[in-house]
Each structure stands twice: as C-alpha cells, then as structure tokens.
Amino acid sequence: SSQMAAFGYQPHQPPSTPASKEVWKKGGRMFSILLAVHLALLACTLVSSGAFEKIAVHDYAGFFLLSVMMLIVIIWIIFYLLSTSHCPAAIPCKDSHAGPIWLRGGLILFAIFSLVMDVFKIGYYSSFYSCLSAIKIIYPIVQAIFVAVQTYFLWISAKDCVHVHLNVTRCGLMLTLTTNLAVWMSAVTDESVHKAHSKLKKNMTDEIFRWLLKAGMRSSSAEECNCNSQVCQIFKNGYFWLYPFNIEYSLFASAMVYVMWKNVGRFIDHHSHHIHRLFRRTFFVGIVLGLIILVSGLGVLILYEVQVNSSTESSKKSQALTMYYIFNIVCLGLMSLVCIGGSVIYRFDKRDMDRHKNPTRTLDVALLMGAALGQYAISYYSIVAIVASTPRDAISALNLTYALLMIAQHTFQNIFIIEGLHRQPPKEEHKHSSHQKDLYGLTFVNISTVSLRVPDNGSALAPAAEAARPSELVRSLAAPKKMNWRRKFLREISMFLLLSNIILWIMPAFGARPQFDNDTELNFYGDSMWPAIVDICLPFGIFYRMHAVASLLEVYI
C-alpha cells in the first residue's frame, strides 16, 4: 500500500465525498500544469535560441533536451500500459467522443510519414557524421521510437478515463503534451531556418553563402558540412518535404493527449453517448463539387511550384500568383456561401442543443477558434500592407480580396461547425410515432378492410381508421423522408467543405505559400519581420484545416 501511495494510487470509489474529490482533482491538475509550463518554457528557450544569430546556445542543447523528454515519456507510456491500465478498476468507463476512428486514422497516417522523415534524417546526418555531434544522429532515432510508442498508446488508450495513479497519470500526460509541442516548435524552427537559407542561397553564389555562415549567420550545423553525393541530397530534400506531416502529427497527438488528461478521474454520463453513423445514402452534389475543387487545386499547386520555384522570370511568377489567388478566391467564396446556407438551415432545425459536459467538444471548439487566429493574423497583416502600400496593381487587389475572404470563410465555417457540435444527433430514421407504426403495420393489408379493423374496447381509433384512405397512407409513409431534407443538405455541405479544406491544407503544406513570393508584404514589413510572422502563424492555419476536416467528420458524416 505504501508503494501504491507513492505512485498516487487512488482506486475507483463511488462519489460519496464530491467536495474533497474536487479539491484533490484541481490540485493534481494544477501541479501537472505547472510542470508542463516550466518544461515548455525551458524547451522554447533552448529551441528558439538555437535559431537566432549571435547567441551562444547551439541547437545541440535543444536536441539533447528533447531527446531526454521523449525518453521519459516513453518510459511513462510503458509504465501506463503495463501497470496503470491493468490495475483493478483502473478504467471503469470510456469516453466514446474521444479519439474517433478518423482522428486516430489521421494520426497513424502522419506517424508513418514522420517515421519516413526520421529515416531520411538518420541517412542525411550519417552521411557526414564525422563533422557533427552524435546527438544529431541520436535525436531522430529517439524521435522514431517516440512516434511509434506514442501512436500505439493513443490508438488503444485515447478513450480511457483513468481512476488509478491519478497524479502520475496527469503529470505523464502533461509531459507528453509538452514534449509534442516542443517537437512541433523545433520542427517549425528548423523548417523556417532551412527556407530562409534556401532563399538566400538562391540569390547568391556558394562562396558568398559560405562566407556568411563563417561570419556568424545562424544555420543548421549540417549546412557547414559537405553534402555532395546524390544520396545525401535525396535524404536532405526528402526530410524537409516531410516536415509538414511531422508538424501535423505533433499537433494531432497534443490534442488527443489533452482530452485524455481532461478525462483522468472523470465519470461518464452514459446518457450523453451518441453514435454517429456513416453515410447511408449516396451524396452527389457535395462530393462532385468538392472533387472538382480538389482536382483543380492539385493542378494549381503543380503549376505554381513549377512556375515560381523553377523559373526566374517575373512574368511567370506573376501568372502563378494570379492563378493561385483566383483559385483561392473562388474556393473561399463558395465555402463562405455554403457555410452561411448551413447556418440558415440550422434556424429551421428542431433538434435540441446538447448541453452535456464533453471535454472533447470543448477542445474542438477551442482548437477551431485558436488555430484560426494564425490565419487571421496573416490576413490582417496583409490587409494593412496592401492598403498602405503604393502603387497598387492587379495582384495586390487579388491579394486583398483573398485576405478578406480568408477572414470571412474562417468565421462562417467556425460558426457552422461549432453549431453542429452543440446539436443533438438526429434521431433514427426508422423511428416514428405510434400512429405511423400502425399505418406501417397495415401496408400489407387490403386497404378496403382498414375501416373494419376497429378494437372492441374503444372507439377512439375508429375515426382515424375510417379516415385512413390510400392517399393518406401514402402521405404518412412519405412524411419521414420529406422531413430529412435538412439533414441531406447539411451532409452535402459538409462533404463539400471537407474536400475543400483538404486542398486548402495541401497547398500551403507542400510549398504553395504566396506570402513569401509576393513582394508587397516583404517590402512593407522587411525581409526579417514578415517571414517570422508567416513562420509562426502559418502552421496554425495548416492545423486549422486538418482539425476542421476532423470536426466535419465527427458531426455530419
């Protein structure tokens, strides 16, 4: 018992003293939050210091700290899987809303690409291990193990409501959350530094670039080593292309870990469980329009990459920007209109609001609102730069329209999704009133004999049965289908929004970033301030698209 007490073992008990339990629950949460805050600040300091110029903190320190944090998380996950989850009454209930199958499936997809990225990193750093510290090779190995163990842990335990080892579990989950956020920040910083060096190197010779590195310009330590072989270049380009998947993996894992942390010690109200079913009918309009947007966006992405990154002619760059902005203006305009239409349909929806306590829904709303702030910031910075700059050309007008529509689309889509998250799920289509059930029971009976089927113990049904002529029976049988038009429209809208959000995630994640190619913002804010703003805010915008897809799947599909 003393060993169990040392690990914070608190067996599941009936809520006989809710006041004292609530005090200890808040105390355990507060301690785990303080632990996470201090670790996050330390990791943030080391990672960011390694990216700035003339700071004596090297990126080796950040990689060492992240490796230690990941190893501790791996040890705790093994302890949870082998000890905590096997204690008596450890998991008396599960949260059916947490970790839906499409969210866990997306996590596995990003985990696979993250593992491939780690393999490329190991191959790249191993190509010139003699001029690098060993931690540069150890870090991707530890990260690969961390991704594999964490993905398995979240796949089988995302719905758990743990009632033993409460304090250890809360601290372990917060440490896991902090580690994912620190890895995310490290990936964003590394990608930003790489893009800055790539753009600088494109505009100067190799000799000048190496002179700047020796003069004190901050770089990834691998930049100072020679990577002349073709295999080394493949590894280098490959793992930088896979960075967006690793960034999204860290954010997805953080969201799932946070829900688990909120569910520690929670008692589930089983009356609030709902099962959302997949499509039962073919949805035509939403899928067709969404696929048209998706395919068109892929074509625009390919042309944009070819004309902007592979060509030095300013005319082709202007054509690529014009094409990109026109596509996005059309896409964002359609998405805003269908979101407004969905919100109008909700005004005629008779479903009640779901007011049950639900940490998953609370997190969904917070992530939608918080992640949208990143794109809001970029859009407002662009609006200020365009309005204040002179002269103005056609690309500036398109950029201004794009920024305004981006703000409007995020706002209307958040309203539409959040309202759907707070609605009760639709009742089963085969459930009808008792009178309709009686009529269904008479469908295979001779219609002319309906008026003769009157019970002996009352005459209340006689007028209704006498009035049940064939035309009225047909109308009664068709009534449930007529009442489902709202649900059909909402699902059509959701499918269109889902596919549109996917292409709007793919385009910036795979290099189509006009913020770096449009000179208006760069000239207005400078070559250092504007890239920093975009590098900080854009990952939130990319994450917003993926989380919007997950929320649409959860609510409407």
Side-chain angles (χ1 to χ4, degrees):
S1 60
S2 61
Q3 293 177 351
M4 291 181 178
F7 283 105
Y9 179 82
Q10 300 174 13
H12 169 70
Q13 296 176 356
S16 56
T17 57
S20 60
K21 282 181 176 291
E22 189 67 21
V23 171
W24 284 109
K25 175 181 176 181
K26 291 181 179 179
R29 284 185 174 180
M30 182 59 66
F31 180 77
S32 63
I33 290 173
L34 290 174
L35 174 66
V37 168
H38 286 290
L39 284 175
L41 291 175
L42 177 60
C44 178
T45 302
L46 290 178
V47 170
S48 59
S49 298
F52 287 100
E53 301 177 11
K54 298 180 181 180
I55 297 180
V57 178
H58 211 281
D59 54 358
Y60 295 155
F63 288 133
F64 178 78
L65 176 64
L66 293 178
S67 300
V68 172
M69 292 173 66
M70 287 189 288
L71 288 173
I72 295 175
V73 170
I74 291 171
I75 294 172
W76 172 79
I77 290 176
I78 295 173
F79 170 78
Y80 177 91
L81 294 175
L82 298 181
S83 177
T84 301
S85 60
H86 287 83
C87 290
I91 307 172
C93 53
K94 290 181 177 287
D95 185 0
S96 63
H97 297 280
I101 185 64
W102 43 81
L103 186 59
R104 288 181 290 164
L107 185 76
I108 288 180
L109 177 64
F110 291 136
I112 292 173
F113 284 105
S114 297
L115 291 174
V116 175
M117 184 201 72
D118 289 325
V119 172
F120 281 7
K121 266 190 175 182
I122 295 170
Y124 172 60
Y125 291 132
S126 299
S127 301
F128 37 80
Y129 64 90
S130 57
C131 68
L132 289 176
S133 173
I135 192 64
K136 298 287 285 188
I137 302 176
I138 294 175
Y139 174 74
I141 296 175
V142 175
Q143 187 179 19
I145 300 172
F146 170 74
V147 169
V149 173
Q150 180 179 242
T151 303
Y152 174 77
F153 164 68
L154 292 176
W155 178 266
I156 66 173
S157 306
K159 299 178 181 293
D160 290 356
C161 297
V162 183
H163 284 259
V164 298
H165 300 162
L166 297 182
N167 295 331
V168 172
T169 303
R170 288 193 181 103
C171 291
L173 289 171
M174 266 298 163
L175 177 61
T176 307
L177 174 63
T178 306
T179 303
N180 279 287
L181 293 178
V183 170
W184 166 78
M185 184 176 182
S186 175
V188 172
T189 303
D190 199 9
E191 185 188 27
S192 302
V193 171
H194 172 73
K195 286 185 177 297
H197 290 163
S198 298
K199 188 171 183 179
L200 184 64
K201 193 174 183 180
K202 187 187 298 184
N203 299 326
M204 62 180 64
T205 62
D206 292 339
E207 290 77 9
I208 298 177
F209 183 71
R210 296 221 174 245
W211 179 81
L212 286 174
L213 291 179
K214 293 179 181 179
M217 176 183 172
R218 178 66 70 186
S219 68
S220 174
S221 53
E223 294 282 356
E224 302 174 4
C225 302
N226 292 323
C227 181
N228 299 323
S229 65
Q230 187 175 2
V231 175
C232 179
Q233 289 294 333
I234 292 174
F235 283 142
K236 180 180 179 181
N237 296 329
Y239 91 78
F240 275 113
W241 270 97
L242 292 172
Y243 256 133
F245 293 100
N246 181 245
I247 291 171
E248 298 302 320
Y249 172 83
S250 299
L251 294 176
F252 267 53
S254 300
M256 296 178 69
V257 169
Y258 174 78
V259 173
M260 285 189 66
W261 178 78
K262 290 287 290 185
N263 282 332
V264 173
R266 182 187 174 205
F267 293 93
I268 297 295
D269 181 10
H270 294 281
H271 296 289
S272 64
H273 287 188
H274 305 301
I275 300 176
H276 297 278
R277 300 180 182 271
L278 294 175
F279 289 113
R280 301 182 205 170
R281 295 184 179 88
T282 302
F283 295 89
F284 181 73
V285 179
I287 290 180
V288 170
L289 290 178
L291 287 176
I292 292 174
I293 293 293
L294 182 62
V295 174
S296 302
L298 291 175
V300 171
L301 174 62
I302 294 172
L303 293 175
Y304 184 90
E305 288 291 327
V306 171
Q307 294 187 5
V308 172
N309 297 330
S310 302
S311 177
T312 57
E313 298 181 12
S314 59
S315 60
K316 290 187 176 182
K317 180 180 176 181
S318 300
Q319 291 175 1
L321 288 171
T322 302
M323 175 183 60
Y324 180 89
Y325 284 132
I326 290 176
F327 169 79
N328 278 270
I329 287 171
V330 173
C331 182
L332 294 172
L334 290 175
M335 294 174 72
S336 300
L337 290 176
V338 299
C339 287
I340 294 173
S343 300
V344 171
I345 292 175
Y346 272 132
R347 304 283 75 81
F348 301 96
D349 199 348
K350 304 300 181 182
R351 287 182 290 166
D352 296 331
M353 301 296 289
D354 186 2
R355 294 181 174 86
H356 292 93
K357 184 179 180 181
N358 188 340
T360 305
R361 183 176 61 208
T362 303
L363 177 64
D364 286 338
V365 174
L367 289 177
L368 283 172
M369 300 297 292
L373 295 177
Q375 193 59 58
Y376 283 156
I378 294 176
S379 297
Y380 280 117
Y381 273 107
S382 296
I383 291 171
V384 172
I386 295 167
V387 173
S389 299
T390 54
R392 302 181 183 91
D393 53 6
I395 293 180
S396 297
L398 291 173
N399 191 8
L400 179 61
T401 307
Y402 167 74
L404 293 172
L405 280 176
M406 188 67 76
I407 295 173
Q409 191 273 326
H410 277 71
T411 303
F412 295 136
Q413 183 170 265
N414 280 347
I415 295 172
F416 176 69
I417 294 177
I418 292 172
E419 192 160 7
L421 288 171
H422 286 83
R423 291 280 178 170
Q424 291 280 5
K427 297 180 180 179
E428 299 297 328
E429 296 179 3
H430 60 270
K431 293 182 179 179
H432 308 288
S433 63
S434 59
H435 177 63
Q436 290 172 339
K437 289 180 180 179
D438 292 336
L439 294 178
Y440 272 106
L442 297 175
T443 54
F444 297 102
V445 180
N446 188 355
I447 300 298
S448 62
T449 63
V450 172
S451 60
L452 301 177
R453 302 176 67 86
V454 182
D456 298 333
N457 57 353
S459 59
L461 189 60
E466 290 175 358
R469 293 185 174 86
S471 60
E472 295 183 3
L473 283 173
V474 172
R475 284 197 300 270
S476 298
L477 294 174
K481 295 183 180 179
K482 291 182 179 179
M483 293 302 293
N484 289 331
W485 66 270
R486 302 185 192 92
R487 199 182 314 169
K488 292 178 182 178
F489 274 114
L490 290 174
R491 287 181 175 176
E492 296 284 354
I493 290 172
S494 68
M495 276 305 303
F496 174 75
L497 291 176
L498 186 146
L499 294 171
S500 299
N501 277 286
I502 288 176
I503 188 58
L504 291 180
W505 167 75
I506 291 175
M507 296 181 79
F510 288 92
R513 302 180 179 183
Q515 297 87 358
F516 293 112
D517 301 314
N518 195 342
D519 296 332
T520 303
E521 292 91 339
L522 284 172
N523 295 333
F524 187 80
Y525 293 110
D527 293 338
S528 58
M529 179 179 176
W530 178 243
I533 293 171
V534 176
D535 288 335
I536 293 173
C537 298
L538 190 61
F540 290 97
I542 296 173
F543 173 74
Y544 171 85
R545 295 298 176 187
M546 291 305 300
H547 191 68
V549 169
S551 299
L552 288 166
L553 284 169
E554 182 178 357
V555 177
Y556 301 106
I557 298 179

